[in-house]
Amino acid sequence: MTIIGAGAVVWLVGATGWRDVVGGVARVGWAGFAVLMAWTAVTLVVLGAGWWAVAPGLERRHWPTFAWARMTREAATDVLPFSQFGGLVIGARTAIAGGIRPALVYASLIADQTTELAAQLAFTLFGVAMLALALGAGSGGAQVLPLVLAGVGVLVAIMLGFTLGQRPMLRMAQGLAGRLLPGSVATVEALTSELDAIYRQPGRVIAAFLLHLVAWIFSAGGAWIALHFMGQDVPIMAVLTIEALIFTLRTVAFAIPGGVGVQEGAYVLIGPLFGVSPGVGLALSLVKRARDICVGVPGLALWQWLEWRRARP
């Protein structure tokens, strides 16, 4: 899937025009790229705070542990040829290595993913409303609306399945553990107990939802920063709308590592409706890919080195 997606990216850039795309990337410059990297670091700290919020009983000094775990989780999802599930596993392993008890890590990871999906749904609905207004104003591109609505439907189905299926899946896992691995029953029971304790504190769940909503807005703000350094005067509301819709399509295509090809195609389809030409949209996508690599590769290298140190006798 990654190879097919990469081929689609090359084709899109060639069809749009290499000169326009490369020129847009070059206009960002080192200063603009450094600002984008710093903004991404702030976003990861907010995401770490969202995860920490649904891990009751931990002091504020554990916040950096969750921010670091969130960074390795994002890096694995964006850089390695894994789906999002691989990133979740690496993020959980990082948090456990940071001294957080495993049952709490996995329970808080479930709650964190739930609140993140809920925040994304709210952000997506904003994007859909803005798209409907743009189409109503005669911006064209009516063929995009069915695709976006299908994406919203899949996102809602994912969220409902993830939310409603948590306890049934845990009960099923507990039953299987009792038959196949009796020693793991206590682990499943501890996880269930931790998850129940989290949901008994709605204030923490709401705080995590709000932090994730802020993080989604911050992520979209990074695109506005890149466009600003490209010399593109695109209104912030238009950028938020574009990013909300693109994040949705990427989530729906969760089986494709990094959403390679999906993100680029979405910029070509959705960007022109809000004043972002295909060439500029592809340049923005490549800048974001470069950002992901520059954040993810050093982060994964550091994580691997720490893993190696812990594995030494």
Side-chain angles (χ1 to χ4, degrees):
M1 295 296 289
T2 303
I3 295 174
I4 295 173
V9 172
V10 172
W11 181 83
L12 285 170
V13 173
T16 303
W18 287 91
R19 181 174 297 180
D20 291 341
V21 177
V22 173
V25 172
R27 281 192 294 273
V28 174
W30 291 109
F33 195 69
V35 173
L36 180 60
M37 292 278 286
W39 188 263
T40 301
V42 174
T43 305
L44 288 170
V45 170
V46 175
L47 287 169
W51 190 354
W52 171 80
V54 286
L58 297 180
E59 300 175 0
R60 290 184 180 179
R61 62 185 177 86
H62 292 103
W63 181 350
T65 299
F66 285 96
W68 166 235
R70 184 66 199 224
M71 199 280 280
T72 59
R73 172 176 155 187
E74 292 296 318
T77 301
D78 293 333
V79 176
L80 297 179
F82 299 154
S83 66
Q84 294 185 22
F85 299 112
L88 292 172
V89 172
I90 289 178
R93 183 176 175 86
T94 304
I96 292 170
I100 313 300
R101 60 184 183 275
L104 179 58
V105 168
Y106 292 119
S108 62
L109 182 61
I110 293 171
D112 177 70
Q113 191 69 15
T114 303
T115 55
E116 183 173 359
L117 285 170
Q120 184 179 5
L121 181 58
F123 192 39
T124 296
L125 292 177
F126 158 79
V128 171
M130 295 298 292
L131 176 62
L133 289 174
L135 295 178
S139 298
Q143 72 278 4
V144 175
L145 186 58
L147 180 64
V148 171
L149 291 178
V152 173
V154 174
L155 180 61
V156 171
I158 291 173
M159 182 182 172
L160 289 176
F162 190 83
T163 303
L164 300 178
Q166 290 175 15
R167 285 184 171 80
M169 289 297 292
L170 286 174
R171 285 195 294 269
M172 184 175 68
Q174 189 170 352
L176 289 174
R179 292 187 179 90
L180 303 177
L181 298 168
S184 64
V185 172
T187 301
V188 178
E189 289 177 346
L191 194 159
T192 305
S193 176
E194 295 281 8
L195 191 60
D196 289 338
I198 291 170
Y199 288 141
R200 281 197 299 268
Q201 302 184 52
R204 284 183 168 271
V205 176
I206 294 172
F209 167 80
L210 294 175
L211 285 166
H212 279 299
L213 187 58
V214 169
W216 283 115
I217 296 171
F218 271 36
S219 296
W224 183 87
I225 290 172
L227 288 170
H228 173 74
F229 279 97
M230 286 183 194
Q232 301 293 317
D233 187 19
V234 183
I236 184 64
M237 293 298 287
V239 177
L240 289 174
T241 302
I242 294 170
E243 294 298 301
L245 300 175
I246 287 175
F247 287 146
T248 300
L249 296 178
R250 278 199 55 170
T251 301
V252 171
F254 61 88
I256 302 175
V260 177
V262 175
Q263 175 175 290
E264 288 71 21
Y267 273 116
V268 171
L269 287 174
I270 298 171
L273 302 178
F274 299 93
V276 178
S277 68
V280 172
L282 287 173
L284 172 60
S285 182
L286 293 180
V287 169
K288 290 170 67 176
R289 297 285 184 196
R291 184 252 344 247
D292 293 341
I293 291 172
C294 290
V295 171
V297 171
L300 286 175
L302 177 59
W303 169 77
Q304 190 63 55
W305 179 71
L306 292 173
E307 287 285 309
W308 174 75
R309 283 193 59 186
R310 281 190 289 271
R312 291 175 62 188

